[in-house]
Amino acid sequence: MQFGMTIIAAMAPPAVLPAKDLTDPHAGRPVPAVELSRVSVTFGQASDSVAALAETNLRIHEGEFLALVGPSGCGKSTILRLVGGLIQPTEGVVILGGREVAARALRIGMAFQNPTMLPWLTIEQNIMLPLKIVEPFRSQFRKEKRGAFRDKAHDLLAQVGLKGFAGKFPWQLSGGMLQRANLCRALIHEPRMLMLDEPFGALDQFTREELWAIMQKMWLAHKPTVLLVTHDLREAAFLGTRICVMSARPGRIVDDAPVPFARPRTIAMTFEPDFVALNQRLRSLIVEARSGATVSEESL
Amino acid sequence: MRKIINRQRRRSFGLIALFFVGWEVACLVSGMSDLILPRPSQVFTTMFQRMPILWPHILQTLMTTMIGFALGVALGVVLGAVIGVSRTAYETAYPLLIGFSSIPKVAVVPIFVLWFGSGTVPAVLTALSICFFPIVVNIATGLATTEPELEDVLKALGASKLDILWNVGLPRTMPFFFASLKVAVTYAFVGTVLSETVASNRGIGNVMMTASSNFNVPMVFAGLFILAGMGIALYVVFSLIESRVTGWANRKNDFAAA
Ligand SMILES: Nc1ncnc2c1ncn2[C@@H]1O[C@H](COP(=O)(O)OP(=O)(O)OP(=O)(O)O)[C@@H](O)[C@H]1O
Ligand SMILES: [Mg+2]
């Protein structure tokens, strides 16, 4: 961690507008959008408890695209759920935009591997669901803005290549199309923070690459803070501004490095020597983390 | 597609007609006394001839059933929602409900009569007490089966429990709810008639009771036919409402077959 341990100072001044006003006047240095400090998460009760995270530290800066990779079951989704305020840390603190995460409205966009569209709503209605929940859209929903919201949904759909599918029901779309719609739903309320848990995991190679490009374009356009959990190292290196590698359970960050490649990145770049070398380095780190896990499980 | 459905429908109507014809013929051939098993033709004749007398009773039974059913739906929805949302409520109320639903309702009617006198009130209550159970179970099941991932997406947006219930839980429960309505409405008939047979001087249940004590067997059967007819009619009504409101739950299959 290059930032040291000035976490408690960041907690002190509760910013009024956490998403925009990110300069901490006391430290004179930008407050990270997300900060996990010495966070531990233990699931279950004493006898059969599982330590998912142990004393994990992680900072994500405003506008950063952080890719999180690591062996299966190491606690990646747990980090994502912590940041989303869906679970509370057993120990430590999770700070968002200078404020501790508690039960509050966050306006975080989330997308999982499973698209979870509601079958009784059309794609357009599904995508507009966050607008029915998040303020200020919520109070505008019944009023004049509805038409504007619909335009926005159509616009997003067009961007992911689903033009003309707004009125269709989820069962009329393929898995890849649903996943595109899922991305739209995560983006419609213009979140400053995006939590993506293997959103492209179940897709074929070509659809996946196409969605990487779309994702990159959207990130370049709006610069939200993104946390992407993925198993695909090429994906991590293509999209991320920074890649964190986690150790096996209980997870902690064992490697944290920026991705130097220029943007916009292209698929062709992923076959260049530098890119391949980065992939190989990541791969060997994860292999190492995994073998560590196997040994410790055998020794039990 | 349409043609096949029509042909199938015609065939099943034909088979039903055949059943009654068979019954008629069997009675004629075997010389069965109409004190034991009247012929369908006798039953229908009785039904139409005595319609002026039967009509108020039909209305009485129908009204009682619908009131009991409406109350049962209201109670069932509220209980089901509470049980489906709260774990504590689930663990307390479920054993009680199962206990209550295992009690034969014949045993409950005398208690209702004791409290409210004979007549419409105990019939309404009996109908209610039989029909609310399937609704509770279905609503609770529907609410309990929400996808955790979607709930996470909504919670991260700051959605309250009520938001999730309103936008996801309730719509998802609708197919379960309407499926249970079809069953519940036929149960409500059973309850009404049960109570009318035991403690009332009005309604189809009472008509059948009186007719059987006068050995007017065709009249008893006319009562049965009327009850069956009303049951089928209401079942069809609720099926139609169901397919209109919750078509999305079945669309996938239609789509594949088309
Ligand atoms: N709700 C829960 N109850 C109990 N244990 C849990 C729960 N959620 C996660 N765990 C445990 O915590 C550990 C980390 O889980 P997590 O889902 O964060 O892993 P992951 O890194 O996302 O894995 P994958 O890459 O396979 O998705 C796992 O060992 C899992 O068994
Ligand atoms: Mg995971």
Side-chain angles (χ1 to χ4, degrees):
Chain A
M1 291 297 290
Q2 63 265 49
F3 292 101
M5 300 298 282
T6 51
I7 308 122
I8 308 304
M11 275 174 70
V16 184
L17 286 170
K20 296 273 179 234
D21 181 22
L22 281 162
T23 35
D24 180 356
H26 300 275
R29 152 196 297 171
V31 176
V34 179
E35 169 140 18
L36 271 65
S37 71
R38 304 179 65 106
V39 168
S40 302
V41 174
T42 309
F43 290 108
Q45 299 306 317
S47 58
D48 56 0
S49 67
V50 178
L53 293 176
E55 306 238 324
T56 305
N57 293 306
L58 177 68
R59 286 183 167 208
I60 311 174
H61 288 274
E62 171 78 0
E64 207 171 19
F65 198 127
L66 180 74
L68 190 59
V69 297
S72 182
C74 68
K76 301 183 295 295
S77 301
T78 305
I79 289 192
L80 205 110
R81 290 162 58 80
L82 274 171
V83 176
L86 302 170
I87 52 174
Q88 300 301 318
T90 317
E91 269 165 57
V93 271
V94 179
I95 299 163
L96 257 72
R99 290 202 291 187
E100 195 169 339
V101 173
R104 77 318 34 160
L106 271 186
R107 222 174 133 174
I108 288 183
M110 274 198 153
F112 294 94
Q113 182 169 348
N114 184 353
T116 59
M117 293 284 133
L118 298 173
W120 57 91
L121 297 179
T122 60
I123 293 301
E124 170 191 294
Q125 291 167 328
N126 263 295
I127 289 173
M128 282 158 66
L129 189 61
L131 302 180
K132 287 194 196 167
I133 288 165
V134 179
E135 292 291 1
F137 310 104
R138 186 191 183 120
S139 30
Q140 300 165 343
F141 203 86
R142 300 239 160 262
K143 289 188 245 150
E144 74 289 347
K145 285 280 185 99
R146 196 168 193 150
F149 288 168
R150 183 168 297 150
D151 291 346
K152 198 169 170 177
H154 285 232
D155 186 44
L156 266 178
L157 283 171
Q159 284 183 52
V160 299
L162 282 183
K163 205 173 172 154
F165 285 90
K168 295 267 192 289
F169 284 92
W171 42 268
Q172 293 171 309
L173 271 65
S174 73
M177 292 160 106
L178 287 175
Q179 198 55 48
R180 289 163 200 254
N182 191 17
L183 275 187
C184 294
R185 189 178 61 190
L187 292 167
I188 186 119
H189 57 295
E190 296 166 13
R192 291 309 303 153
M193 202 145 13
L194 259 181
M195 299 285 121
L196 307 174
D197 198 343
E198 299 175 41
F200 314 119
L203 303 178
D204 69 279
Q205 190 69 43
F206 296 100
T207 309
R208 200 185 292 188
E209 287 172 359
E210 188 193 338
L211 287 179
W212 292 351
I214 291 168
M215 195 67 234
Q216 169 172 258
K217 210 170 116 206
M218 286 181 169
W219 178 75
L220 286 172
H222 304 286
K223 282 288 168 78
T225 311
V226 186
L227 176 56
L228 169 73
V229 168
T230 177
H231 281 136
D232 186 335
L233 303 178
R234 261 180 88 223
E235 178 174 306
F238 182 91
L239 284 171
T241 50
R242 198 175 126 209
I243 300 178
C244 286
V245 182
M246 286 181 77
S247 68
R249 206 186 71 219
R252 50 171 83 223
I253 313 286
V254 292
D255 190 83
D256 185 340
V259 183
F261 310 118
R263 301 223 187 229
R265 296 172 189 160
T266 59
I267 297 299
M269 283 167 74
T270 66
F271 300 107
E272 281 169 17
D274 285 356
F275 198 101
V276 175
L278 173 61
N279 268 351
Q280 274 165 352
R281 198 176 76 84
L282 291 172
R283 206 185 118 72
S284 62
L285 281 166
I286 292 173
V287 168
E288 204 176 299
R290 286 192 65 208
S291 67
T294 336
V295 169
S296 71
E297 259 160 39
E298 273 167 5
S299 64
L300 278 176
Chain B
M1 190 69 212
R2 185 128 247 151
K3 235 179 192 165
I4 296 174
I5 290 178
N6 273 341
R7 196 189 303 161
Q8 233 164 28
R9 192 162 288 172
R10 229 176 294 146
R11 190 179 299 165
S12 61
F13 272 119
L15 282 175
I16 293 170
L18 199 69
F19 168 73
F20 284 108
V21 172
W23 176 351
E24 184 84 29
V25 172
C27 284
L28 282 174
V29 170
S30 65
M32 177 78 75
S33 154
D34 61 6
L35 280 179
I36 296 165
L37 184 65
R39 283 173 282 126
S41 61
Q42 285 176 308
V43 175
F44 283 115
T45 318
T46 314
M47 197 157 92
F48 286 113
Q49 278 174 351
R50 310 291 296 277
M51 200 39 109
I53 298 165
L54 283 170
W55 189 242
H57 293 284
I58 293 176
L59 287 183
Q60 166 72 18
T61 299
L62 192 62
M63 184 196 72
T64 312
T65 304
M66 291 323 286
I67 295 174
F69 174 64
L71 294 176
V73 170
L75 179 68
V77 167
V78 172
L79 269 179
V82 172
I83 290 175
V85 170
S86 147
R87 177 108 223 136
T88 325
Y90 177 88
E91 271 159 17
T92 351
Y94 228 75
L96 287 178
L97 280 173
I98 291 178
F100 182 74
S101 76
S102 333
I103 299 172
K105 295 303 170 296
V106 195
V108 182
V109 179
I111 300 175
F112 287 149
V113 174
L114 201 69
W115 289 345
F116 302 102
S118 64
T120 312
V121 180
V124 166
L125 288 177
T126 316
L128 181 162
S129 66
I130 291 190
C131 81
F132 84 99
F133 190 68
I135 298 173
V136 173
V137 173
N138 278 282
I139 293 259
T141 317
L143 284 179
T145 54
T146 48
E147 284 160 321
E149 287 194 345
L150 182 61
E151 238 183 273
D152 282 357
V153 169
L154 297 180
K155 274 189 198 153
L157 293 169
S160 64
K161 272 205 153 168
L162 201 67
D163 285 334
I164 295 177
L165 186 70
W166 182 251
N167 285 301
V168 183
L170 283 182
R172 189 187 299 287
T173 305
M174 284 301 117
F176 293 91
F177 174 61
F178 280 100
S180 72
L181 283 190
K182 289 187 298 192
V183 181
V185 78
T186 53
Y187 281 16
F189 266 111
V190 174
T192 304
V193 174
L194 183 70
S195 178
E196 281 172 354
T197 350
V198 178
S200 181
N201 47 13
R202 291 168 73 197
I204 295 294
N206 173 255
V207 168
M208 286 167 62
M209 205 59 199
T210 319
S212 83
S213 58
N214 296 336
F215 297 102
N216 187 353
V217 184
M219 189 63 163
V220 176
F221 272 81
L224 280 183
F225 279 25
I226 288 169
L227 286 175
M230 286 199 285
I232 293 170
L234 284 175
Y235 185 94
V236 168
V237 167
F238 283 103
S239 299
L240 286 178
I241 296 176
E242 180 189 14
S243 62
R244 288 220 119 187
V245 179
T246 64
W248 58 266
N250 303 316
R251 280 240 185 83
K252 200 159 195 164
N253 301 332
D254 285 2
F255 188 61

